[in-house]
Amino acid sequence: MNLIDGKEVAAALRKEIAAEVETMVAKGERPPYLVAVLVGDDGASQTYVGNKEKMSAEVGFRSQVLRLPAETTQEALLAEVARLNADPEVDGFIVQLPLPRHIDEQRVIEAIDPRKDVDGFHPENVGRMAMGLPAFVSATPDGILSLLRYYDIPTAGKHCVVIGRSNIVGRPIANLLSQKGWDCTVTICHSRTANLPEVVRQGDIVIAALGRAEFVTADMIKPGAVVIDVGITRVPSETTKSGWKLLGDVKFDEVAPRCSYITPVPGGVGPMTIVSLMKNTLKARHGL
Ligand code: NAP
């Protein structure tokens, strides 16, 4: 069994991005500029945005966090989005989700200029990605592809079973892996899938993105399969200082010995997501 080390891959990609930015700056070009809009004071969102700011600095980007109060109206947020769309200095920006309940998230996502939509959530980017056209691919699926690429894991002709059909993980990764170049035969499972364990057992590559802690057990995994665990569930723990720990969708201890490759949680897919955002921002700086 080989452990897929997301931290190592993320560090390697971060280095590549930093080197590219350094070259740009040495040539007198301005570095990429990423803005994150944070509405309200949700603790997890603050952490995510803080990490994005930290990594932007590490790779040499210019970055800014726009902190808006939780009472910000939809109109005020849309005005901010319009301002960022029009600012020629801003290469890419994200509006951290979730937004407070009184704001229509979809409306905000669709107001972002697709050329600056480095989260890849705008329908134009999702559509372009689905058609195999140049696009901003959202962070989690892009991170999974980077892991497969880094470890040179063969995908052509492999049966990939994706558990989960969300717009941010299951559906895009299923689409991408079915495209030319990756060439997987893909099956998507969801909560209404019949005989799910039997279907998952057919997977040469299994991507678990359902958000149910330790759902995937050893009996569902074909010996030698590649297992990518996207799930993150916070559960109470007596052995940690914080009083909680993170569990993936895969029962790691029993599944790992059956696999050729497996991602741990934490330290697998998670660390890849911010670096994918950085990749998109660099792409936005040059234009798609
Ligand atoms: P989501 O929107 O809740 O979607 C979950 C999907 O799993 C749905 O399609 C659902 O089916 C399916 N599902 C739920 N229970 C199932 C079951 N018992 N059997 C089969 N399918 C089942 O979740 P998400 O946003 O895609 O996220 C999935 C997990 O990944 C979460 O734990 C999330 O925290 C994690 N995540 C991690 C990262 C990262 O950076 N590592 C990034 C994003 C998300 P239906 O469509 O039929 O309801």
Side-chain angles (χ1 to χ4, degrees):
M1 182 274 292
N2 297 292
L3 195 67
I4 295 179
D5 184 344
K7 281 193 226 155
E8 181 190 318
V9 184
L13 294 179
R14 215 157 49 217
K15 244 181 163 172
E16 278 178 24
I17 297 169
E20 202 169 319
V21 174
E22 216 179 295
T23 310
M24 284 172 71
V25 173
K27 281 195 284 188
E29 295 172 21
R30 64 168 180 81
Y33 181 18
L34 171 67
V35 176
V37 182
L38 177 62
V39 186
D41 44 22
D42 177 75
S45 294
Q46 300 224 26
T47 309
Y48 296 145
V49 166
N51 289 339
K52 288 168 188 174
E53 196 178 18
K54 207 172 115 207
M55 199 186 287
S56 292
E58 266 178 54
V59 297
F61 288 179
R62 177 180 167 199
S63 78
Q64 192 197 357
V65 179
L66 277 179
R67 290 188 167 80
L68 304 177
E71 318 75 70
T72 303
T73 62
Q74 178 160 305
E75 286 62 39
L77 179 57
L78 288 172
E80 202 54 60
V81 167
R83 190 187 65 74
L84 292 166
N85 282 341
D87 186 340
E89 295 268 295
V90 175
D91 297 299
F93 66 98
I94 62 151
V95 177
Q96 184 66 45
L97 304 179
L99 289 169
R101 284 232 197 105
H102 64 278
I103 297 176
D104 178 349
E105 270 182 13
Q106 199 53 34
R107 196 64 211 279
V108 174
I109 290 170
E110 290 187 32
I112 297 173
D113 182 336
R115 291 164 302 180
K116 295 191 177 189
D117 167 41
V118 285
D119 256 343
F121 291 157
H122 191 286
E124 188 173 316
N125 277 311
V126 177
R128 292 178 65 90
M129 176 277 292
M131 294 173 76
L133 296 170
F136 294 116
V137 174
S138 60
T140 308
D142 184 68
I144 296 170
L145 295 184
S146 293
L147 291 175
L148 295 172
R149 207 179 280 122
Y150 188 87
Y151 284 90
D152 221 358
I153 293 172
T155 54
K158 303 292 179 191
H159 186 181
C160 174
V161 177
V162 179
I163 318 174
R165 57 177 165 184
S166 75
N167 285 333
I168 63 162
V169 191
R171 219 177 274 282
I173 192 63
N175 187 302
L176 288 159
L177 284 173
S178 73
Q179 290 184 15
K180 276 200 189 305
W182 295 99
D183 299 311
C184 283
T185 303
V186 179
T187 300
I188 305 183
C189 300
H190 45 76
S191 66
R192 307 296 298 271
T193 297
N195 305 323
L196 183 131
E198 212 171 282
V199 179
V200 177
R201 247 191 315 273
Q202 293 168 27
D204 302 307
I205 300 172
V206 174
I207 300 182
L210 68 159
R212 303 276 179 276
E214 301 190 320
F215 178 91
V216 177
T217 46
D219 58 302
M220 296 186 203
I221 296 298
K222 185 202 269 194
V226 174
V227 174
I228 307 287
D229 189 353
V230 184
I232 307 176
T233 306
R234 216 189 236 219
V235 294
S237 165
E238 284 171 6
T239 57
T240 60
K241 233 178 168 181
S242 59
W244 53 267
K245 61 177 178 177
L246 296 180
L247 286 181
D249 285 347
V250 176
K251 208 162 191 179
F252 185 89
D253 290 346
E254 63 172 59
V255 170
R258 286 176 83 83
C259 301
S260 55
Y261 286 92
I262 187 167
T263 61
V265 175
V269 176
M272 296 301 298
T273 53
I274 300 186
V275 87
S276 292
L277 175 68
M278 301 297 131
K279 272 174 64 190
N280 276 348
T281 307
L282 188 58
K283 214 158 70 163
R285 173 72 183 81
H286 301 301
L288 270 180

